Amino acid sequence: MNSIRRIAHLDMDAFFASVELLRYPELRGQAVVVGGRSVHQPVDLPDGTRRFSRLRDYVGRGVITTSTYEARALGVFSGMGLMKSAKLAPEAILLPANFEAYRHYSQLFKAAVRAIAPKVEDRGIDEIYIDLSDIPEETALLAQRIKDAVFAATSLSCSIGVTPNKLLSKIASDLEKPNGLTILTMSDVPARIWTLPARKVNGIGPKASQRLASHGIQTIGELAAAPTEFLVSKFGQASGLWMHRIAHGIDERPVVTESEPKSLSRETTFERDLHASQDRAELSEVFTALCLRLGDDLKRKGYACRTVGIKIRYSDFHAVTRDVTLPVAVCDGAEIRKLAGQCLKRVPLEQRIRLLGVRAGGLVEDKMSAASLVQAELPW
DNA sequence: CTGTCATTAGTCAGACAG
DNA sequence: ATTACTGTCTGACTAATG
């Protein structure tokens, strides 16, 4: 039971952008970013070539979802506003996101991995953890075999880190990107991990890294050197102890192969900020549409919810949420609309609104709600 | 009967991630 | 004119229950 674990983290390289390059191979080698809306869909020209949008053509409030490494070299990264990135790289190609294609390639690469190593934890569309502990094969050969299988199935490259735990593997997979393969043991922690910024730890985001920096802690090594009592006094019992452990490369979390969703949500950002009274009709229409779509999502996935909530982001980017919990679960869009409407009455509506969202929580399985199954279960 | 403590559920904000 | 969308987790606070 105390055997050394071998955990892999596999991360597809620039996933969305790489999938787009499969469809538009003439863009290979160019600065390409994925983001924005479908108005930027490439147009097929009569001469057989395609016309692409450029970042400088972009108007709106979207962000970059993924960029090619050529685009990253120009300083444009995921999460950056497209308007801002257009100033840095006006000539870069802009493509709208095509989630259907990404989901397709996601299934392909995950199936290819599972055929070799079945203990796989889903971490979103483009990454997974794999527990390799029970597979009797030398680590480097096994990891390379997985990389080859992913490429054979998708024509896409990935980067893999293999270490004794999820924390270290997640960091390791990023060390030699793209097309990397990094294998670390605990003895590598001082040389390869302690030298990295604390921000590289999965779970230390912008806020925590800034707070750490304010105490003179920049690297994971400096975090490891900080007294536990100091970390606990500054970040609380749970976070302080956690930081101390992860800084020493300790992480016992298992690879979890099955999970149920906890919530479903739909939200949208408006082209311009709307006002509750001035733009009442428009807001109401979007609100209802979100609720109906959420109801569809619930039924399609076979869930009902006991909690319905809303989210509003104001023009100053400050956000509020309200929710309500019921004694019985619901899944009907119109029902959700009513409950969400009650939540809406509890938020201030003086300031203009940038984003509106609806959420279903407290999910319970409700196979009966799937229309096809209702028929099947009828007794006659 | 009152006060305290533990526990749980609900609500909301915020951090984080892919 | 900078900042999408979907989802998970945690901490703080309140209320209810025993």
Side-chain angles (χ1 to χ4, degrees):
Chain A
M1 80 199 95
N2 228 352
S3 63
I4 295 179
R5 297 197 307 160
R6 277 190 310 170
I7 309 296
H9 180 258
L10 184 157
D11 197 331
M12 299 299 289
D13 297 327
F15 184 53
F16 294 0
S18 301
V19 171
E20 297 299 336
L21 292 183
L22 293 180
R23 183 144 74 131
Y24 306 117
E26 66 267 42
L27 296 181
R28 213 162 272 280
Q30 295 196 53
V32 177
V33 311
V34 177
R37 299 194 176 164
S38 52
V39 290
H40 296 99
Q41 194 64 45
V43 180
D44 286 307
L45 299 178
D47 66 358
T49 64
R50 297 190 183 93
R51 181 186 175 77
F52 296 97
S53 286
R54 304 255 167 193
L55 262 188
R56 75 164 121 72
D57 303 326
Y58 183 81
V59 179
R61 353 175 75 166
V63 298
I64 294 181
T65 308
T66 322
S67 49
T68 59
Y69 289 90
E70 290 82 358
R72 295 179 200 193
L74 299 175
V76 302
F77 300 95
S78 332
M80 182 182 283
L82 284 167
M83 293 303 285
K84 184 176 175 181
S85 65
K87 290 183 178 156
L88 293 167
E91 301 304 315
I93 303 286
L94 172 63
L95 294 173
N98 177 5
F99 279 92
E100 242 174 276
Y102 311 148
R103 271 193 292 272
H104 173 69
Y105 282 95
S106 180
Q107 284 174 13
L108 290 183
F109 96 76
K110 287 172 186 176
V113 173
R114 285 196 174 98
I116 295 174
K119 267 194 181 174
V120 169
E121 176 175 333
D122 246 289
R123 293 305 299 189
I125 200 162
D126 74 335
E127 50 181 281
I128 52 176
Y129 289 102
I130 319 164
D131 192 334
L132 304 177
S133 308
D134 297 336
I135 301 179
E137 184 176 353
E138 197 273 321
T139 303
L141 291 177
L142 177 55
Q144 186 60 50
R145 201 152 65 83
I146 290 172
K147 273 169 66 81
D148 292 344
V150 167
F151 188 80
T154 63
S155 305
L156 297 170
S157 73
C158 65
S159 296
I160 297 186
V162 190
T163 80
N165 63 53
K166 288 164 83 167
L167 165 83
L168 294 174
S169 296
K170 169 81 178 165
I171 295 173
S173 69
D174 197 47
L175 286 178
E176 292 165 46
K177 243 177 184 311
N179 202 15
L181 173 48
T182 307
I183 301 169
L184 301 181
T185 66
M186 289 313 254
S187 62
D188 293 313
V189 167
R192 306 289 304 272
I193 302 295
W194 282 354
T195 49
L196 300 171
R199 183 71 177 78
K200 290 284 178 185
V201 171
N202 194 225
I204 297 184
K207 301 288 180 182
S209 59
Q210 208 161 6
R211 283 183 66 193
L212 285 168
S214 79
H215 297 296
I217 296 172
Q218 314 278 350
T219 67
I220 302 175
E222 286 162 355
L223 188 58
T228 316
E229 317 83 67
F230 172 80
L231 293 175
V232 168
S233 75
K234 298 298 176 192
F235 294 91
Q237 182 82 7
S239 298
L241 293 180
W242 174 78
M243 282 182 184
H244 184 261
R245 291 174 63 77
I246 57 103
H248 288 272
I250 299 166
D251 173 23
E252 304 289 343
R253 289 171 303 164
V255 170
V256 178
T257 57
E258 312 255 341
S259 75
E260 286 283 306
K262 307 267 188 280
S263 68
L264 296 178
S265 65
R266 288 282 185 169
E267 62 184 52
T268 189
T269 297
F270 305 118
E271 307 247 342
R272 62 184 181 87
D273 297 348
L274 300 182
H275 193 276
S277 47
Q278 284 168 244
D279 305 298
R280 195 173 193 293
E282 203 173 339
L283 270 167
S284 170
E285 195 176 320
V286 172
F287 191 45
T288 302
L290 287 169
C291 293
L292 296 182
R293 260 197 290 171
L294 185 57
D296 274 358
D297 293 343
L298 284 167
K299 285 181 185 163
R300 198 156 29 80
K301 300 187 177 180
Y303 290 102
C305 65
R306 282 196 54 225
T307 301
V308 171
I310 64 160
K311 171 167 137 186
I312 284 185
R313 172 130 56 212
Y314 297 101
S315 45
D316 68 356
F317 224 70
H318 152 89
V320 296
T321 63
R322 294 291 183 272
D323 53 44
V324 60
T325 297
L326 313 151
V328 294
V330 300
C331 62
D332 181 62
E335 195 83 36
I336 291 170
R337 174 65 179 81
K338 271 185 211 157
L339 296 159
Q342 292 172 17
C343 293
L344 198 54
K345 291 180 187 158
R346 297 191 273 142
V347 303
L349 291 173
E350 284 75 52
Q351 205 184 148
R352 286 181 177 276
I353 297 169
R354 176 189 180 92
L355 169 149
L356 190 55
V358 187
R359 195 179 67 89
L363 298 188
V364 295
E365 277 187 74
D366 181 19
K367 296 302 180 196
M368 293 304 286
S369 75
S372 59
L373 290 170
V374 171
Q375 299 259 343
E377 302 276 345
L378 287 174
W380 53 83

